[in-house]
Every structure is written in C-alpha cells, then in structure tokens.
Amino acid sequence: MRAWRVRTPAPIDRGPLEFSTAATPEPGAGEVLIAVRACGVCRTDLHIAEGDLPVHRPSVTPGHEVVGEVVAIADHTDTDLVVGDRVGVAWLRQTCGRCRFCRRGAENLCPQSRYTGWDADGGYAEFLTAPADYVHRLPAGYTDAELAPLLCAGIIGYRSLLRADLPAGGRLGIYGFGGSAHITAQVALARGAEVHVMTRGEAAQQLALELGAASAQGATARPPVELDAAILFAPVGDLVLPALEALDRGGTLAIAGIHLSDIPVLNYQRHLFQERQVRSVASNTRADAREFLAFAGTHRIQVTTPIYPLDQADRALGDLAAGRISGAAVLHVS
Ligand SMILES: [Zn+2]
Ligand SMILES: [Zn+2]
C-alpha cells in the first residue's frame, strides 16, 4: 500500500514526511483492518510532523480522522462490526479500561491511552488497523470527506464545548476559526447559543458569519458583548489574555488544543477574579464521540472541506501551517 511517514520531525517546509510503499498491515487480536477512503488533516498531525509533540512511534503514519470500510476482522474478535461496514477511526485508539480514570468514565485521562497516528499508524495511507472497540459507526447523510473532520475536529470541539460550560442560550466566544471551530460553532448555534468569533483572516471571518455567528472580528479584538464562555482553538497562548478579559463574571475559557505556546503572565484581578476559569481539554471519551456523532446524525452539519489527493498530504499540511485553509482539509484516498 501507499503511505506517508514522518521520517524526522522538522518544520513542514523542510519536508519531514515521506510518501512510500509499505506492506498492508495485518489486524492484531481484537482489531479490524480498514481500507481508508478519506482522512482529515488535523493541526495535531502538523504538531507530530514538526516535532511539537514527542515521537511516540518512529516513522509513524499520521492521520486520525479516518473514514473507511472494514475489509477484515481478526479471528476471535468480539464485535458486531462486519466486513463492508463504513466506520470511523478517531484520535483515541485505546485505553487500559482498569485504571481509576477509566473506571470513573474519564478514559480520556487514562495514563495508558494510545492515539491513532501517534502511537500507531494512522490514516495517511490506503489501509490501517484499529481496535474494534474503538471504531465508530458513522451517521448517514454525509459523504466520506464530510465525515472525516467530524472524527477529531468535531468530537474534540464537542468536548471543548462541554468543558466551556456554556449556559443555555448563552454567549460563546470562539478564538481561531479553523476546522474544529467551524463545526463547534454550528453545534452551539443549534443549541441556541449566541456565537462571537475572533480570528485572523477575512475568509474565516466570512465563513463564521455565513454559518450564523452574531459577529466576527480580529483574533485579539474585543467582542461586542461580554461572554459567558469561550473556547480557544488557535494554538496561541497570547490569546488566553484577551479571551479571559472578554469573559463576563463566572465565565469559563476552555483551551481545545493539545499544544499551546506559552501563556503570558496573568493579572488576577483582570483575568481570573469574579470566578473566571481556565480549563484544558484532553482528547475525548468514546461517550463524547458517540454523543457528537448522534448529534451530527440528527442535525446536518455543514463541513467545508478543501480536498487533496493522498499523495499531496505534505501540501495540505503546508497550507494548514500557513493559514491557507478555510474549513477542514481532507485527503481523498480511494
Ligand atoms: Zn485507564
Ligand atoms: Zn485531531
């Protein structure tokens, strides 16, 4: 099969990825083999390619927003999946199921957790394997390319929205408006929120307004109203300050990314007092994924997906790094 691998992490314009031919993987115990049809391009893939995240598996194949078809199931696997099912593979690949985090329903915090496209090969390839218990069924009514970004951008955005504790009918600020933000904004709007978007780039601001945001302005600009909750999607620690200053009393800022540049010094009175809170978001649980995918099945989410052929994954990542992508890029595989 053809697959991309991160040879030596480096800035994307130095070409850290290599496209080559590899043996088709065999599903191990409890796993399924999936023929990839589409794979989303996530900022985390860029962090892995550029070395912002440590190497977990040398020469890993990135990609954790995988839509494909089950083509084989390992013997003695206890699953109701059958060959031919259209399924999704997301970032969370496996957890231990026994630790105190797993036992209390917080498997996203499992210290033994493993991730697709980081600890194991992902979907920038024609095939991948995945544990059957962590493979997701997908809602009808979407193309493969439309479904792919739902599997990380959508699911993590959904968890970020939960972590932001937005009150019913409340005002939500969104900082950065890429793949995850443009899906999350639609979930919030469908639930009756008033959404204000702070982002660089006119195209992203325009997309925000088209999707129903009440306002769109520059990344550090003050929104026209005080916010009940905010989500920071841009991996820019400097934005924590204006986001906290925009919060009303009791407001919560959730930071959605796995990687953030340093946060400048906070001033207690200006940024935190009156019970403002800052929270991080770590991956997601399978329950988050099921809830969000069910929501996407009943509320049509409009996903803007610039499409790249599989052999141009490096160009897609370069465009993502340069801020040239509107919506969520997707690799078309087969
Ligand atoms: Zn665990
Ligand atoms: Zn992702």
Side-chain angles (χ1 to χ4, degrees), residues 95-103 106-107 109-113:
T95 57
C96 79
R98 294 181 303 273
C99 72
R100 56 194 226 279
F101 300 102
C102 284
R103 288 203 312 266
E107 65 181 359
L109 301 178
C110 175
Q112 312 294 324
S113 57

Side-chain angles (χ1 to χ4, degrees), residues 41-45 64-65 91 151-153 156:
V41 176
C42 173
R43 187 165 291 279
T44 299
D45 306 336
H64 55 271
E65 298 180 306
W91 175 237
L151 287 158
C152 175
I156 305 276

